[in-house]
Amino acid sequence: MESKRSKYILICLTILCILLIGVTSINSSVLAPLRTGIGYVLIPVQSGVNRVGLAIYNSLSDYSSLKGALEENKQLKEQIASLVEDNNRLQAESFELSRLRKLYQLDEEYMQYSKVGARVIAKDSGDWFQVFRVDKGSADGIKEDMNVIAGGGLVGIVTDVGPNYATVRSIIDDSSRVGAMALQSGANCIVAGDLKLYQEGRLRITDIPKEGDLKEGDKIITSNISSVFLPGILIGYAADITVDSNQLTKSGYLIPVAEFDTLQEVLIITDLKSDLMAEPAAESGAE
């Protein structure tokens, strides 16, 4: 009922508007006052309608612009997130490529030894990689006592092997003792692991003969007479060498070339010292 009433009212108003338009369009002097009166009525109504229409149009335009801006903002945020993700991935790949290049250079430096690349997959609690695990094991030909290198030199030695993993004890571990020598003079010494000392970035060098020519900055490499470490692998550089209180030996410090806080990839030398030397000579007090 209400719908029909509204329909009739709309029809009446439409007819009235048509009549008024028709009246105002007649150019008769008799109807001039009528047209003027009607104009006084219609002009304010038309102005009001125009203002309302303009306000509605502006509101719709503002809403459309706001909706477009919000959609554009959403798309820009998605693009930024995608670009950030791509940038992070490219940075990670760049860092990995840089590390792999260093490993390749290390591989070239020790071409006389066969090697297998491995990734570090776990480590003991603490800041340093004193004992860690890699993703290669007996299925890849890995055995105990194989030497591990990275970061320019010696990292440690394999101590335990599973089918698809191996455990490595690094040279900074408290239990590690590496038979070593000065590259320049051949003076023998022992590089002793010390986690507390390594907080200063150094390890101990001990058992240097008093007459041994070992001085500041000398390269320290694995010894020819070490029982398990292959000869000629760079360990680090000598520092602060002094004569011991017993006046028979000298000692000092070593700055390792490998970094034991950021290890991610390593090379495992698959040649064993025992296989390369038929009669290995054991070094007293060292491996």
Side-chain angles (χ1 to χ4, degrees):
M1 186 70 180
E2 185 67 25
S3 176
K4 290 183 178 180
R5 184 182 301 170
S6 300
K7 183 177 180 181
Y8 293 148
I9 293 173
L10 180 61
I11 293 172
C12 292
L13 289 174
T14 302
I15 295 172
L16 178 63
C17 288
I18 293 173
L19 291 175
L20 290 175
I21 292 172
V23 170
T24 55
S25 63
I26 299 175
N27 292 323
S28 172
S29 58
V30 176
L31 297 177
L34 181 60
R35 287 200 305 271
T36 301
I38 293 173
Y40 281 121
V41 175
L42 289 180
I43 289 174
V45 173
Q46 184 178 10
S47 299
V49 171
N50 287 340
R51 284 194 297 270
V52 172
L54 182 61
I56 294 173
Y57 174 78
N58 290 335
S59 298
L60 291 175
S61 298
D62 291 343
Y63 174 75
S64 178
S65 299
L66 177 60
K67 185 177 180 181
L70 291 174
E71 182 64 27
E72 183 178 1
N73 183 57
K74 180 182 177 181
Q75 293 177 357
L76 288 174
K77 285 183 177 180
E78 291 175 351
Q79 292 177 3
I80 291 173
S82 177
L83 289 172
V84 169
E85 182 179 352
D86 289 343
N87 183 59
N88 291 338
R89 177 178 54 80
L90 289 173
Q91 283 188 345
E93 291 177 353
S94 176
F95 293 149
E96 182 179 16
L97 179 60
S98 177
R99 296 193 306 270
L100 293 178
R101 281 176 176 169
K102 291 179 180 179
L103 279 183
Y104 176 76
Q105 293 173 357
L106 193 62
D107 183 31
E108 291 287 298
E109 187 173 349
Y110 297 101
M111 291 182 62
Q112 69 272 33
Y113 299 130
S114 300
K115 310 172 198 69
V116 170
R119 291 184 181 274
V120 177
I121 57 175
K123 74 178 187 71
D124 281 357
S125 60
D127 296 330
W128 317 116
F129 285 75
Q130 71 268 25
V131 177
F132 59 90
R133 183 167 289 181
V134 296
D135 63 352
K136 296 293 170 63
S138 58
D140 306 286
I142 306 303
K143 299 178 181 178
E144 290 184 16
D145 292 340
M146 285 183 172
N147 295 194
V148 180
I149 58 176
L154 184 66
V155 168
I157 194 166
V158 175
T159 59
D160 179 56
V161 179
N164 56 4
Y165 74 89
T167 301
V168 179
R169 186 186 70 210
S170 73
I171 61 172
I172 68 171
D173 188 73
D174 290 335
S175 61
S176 175
R177 291 170 66 82
V178 182
M181 58 183 282
L183 176 63
Q184 288 83 347
S185 65
N188 291 317
C189 61
I190 292 175
V191 175
D194 189 326
L195 289 174
K196 184 176 181 180
L197 184 59
Y198 185 71
Q199 294 180 11
E200 304 173 10
R202 304 191 294 175
L203 298 175
R204 290 284 298 177
I205 301 177
T206 64
D207 296 357
I208 308 167
K210 183 179 179 181
E211 66 279 5
D213 182 15
L214 199 161
K215 56 187 182 297
E216 184 89 14
D218 280 357
K219 286 185 177 181
I220 306 299
I221 62 175
T222 49
S223 171
N224 293 320
I225 59 175
S226 174
S227 61
V228 292
F229 286 100
L230 296 163
I233 301 175
L234 181 63
I235 306 172
Y237 297 88
D240 301 331
I241 304 300
T242 58
V243 177
D244 295 331
S245 58
N246 60 18
Q247 298 298 314
L248 299 175
T249 57
K250 293 189 291 187
S251 61
Y253 299 96
L254 174 127
I255 311 300
V257 291
E259 297 180 358
F260 295 90
D261 56 346
T262 57
L263 286 175
Q264 296 191 51
E265 297 92 10
V266 298
L267 291 175
I268 302 175
I269 299 177
T270 55
D271 299 319
L272 286 168
K273 182 69 173 287
S274 58
D275 293 339
L276 296 180
M277 300 183 67
E279 297 180 357
E283 184 178 35
S284 178
E287 295 176 304

